[in-house]
Amino acid sequence: RPYFLHSVVRRWNYSAEPVAREKLFSAACGIIISPGPPAREADMYSVGIDVQDIKPFREKPYAAAKRFHERIFTAGEIESCASRADAADGFAARFAAKEAVMKALGPKRIFPKDIEISKDPDGRPFVTLRRKSVLPENHAVSISISHTGDVAAAVAIVHPL
């Protein structure tokens, strides 16, 4: 069975026709792929995820790499992270969150500094976009951030209100 799946995946990758790829994938996985009705932008959900190694932020702290941090992070983010005992965790987590938001928004021209990651009074992270035009009408962005000793990760979801 593993050989069969490998064989199907290899044929699937080299197949020129999208319809043939869908049929091969469906046969290999035992699922039915149906395009369904076309989605309206008002109903669209989009997800972005990013994982960031914390080590680079520890090796070049804010004091040693101010120019980099000031190009990527807003003044509020720098103030919030720099006041923490381990600022590298905060910077890496916010960097991962910004990347996840950019991936969820898709191929729109947005820069990291256009995205501000803050916390509400309960400690939940939220996103503020400086350029509202990159977000589809009647949509919002929700994020979740987590970090361990070595890695920070974030997930962003663009969803209808």
Side-chain angles (χ1 to χ4, degrees), residues 17-97:
E17 296 181 50
V19 174
R21 281 189 297 221
E22 288 178 5
K23 287 179 181 175
L24 284 171
F25 183 77
S26 178
C29 299
I31 59 172
I32 299 171
I33 298 175
S34 171
R40 298 176 310 144
E41 188 172 277
D43 301 329
M44 297 288 287
Y45 284 76
S46 180
V47 177
I49 186 169
D50 193 65
V51 177
Q52 177 63 45
D53 188 14
I54 297 174
K55 187 177 179 182
F57 290 92
R58 285 203 179 102
E59 291 174 349
K60 292 199 175 191
Y62 174 65
K66 280 188 179 183
R67 185 168 179 233
F68 166 77
H69 286 80
E70 289 171 354
R71 280 192 353 218
I72 303 294
F73 302 103
T74 64
E77 291 171 324
I78 290 171
E79 182 181 330
S80 174
C81 292
S83 67
R84 295 170 47 120
D86 190 0
D89 288 356
F91 281 121
R94 279 177 170 75
F95 188 84

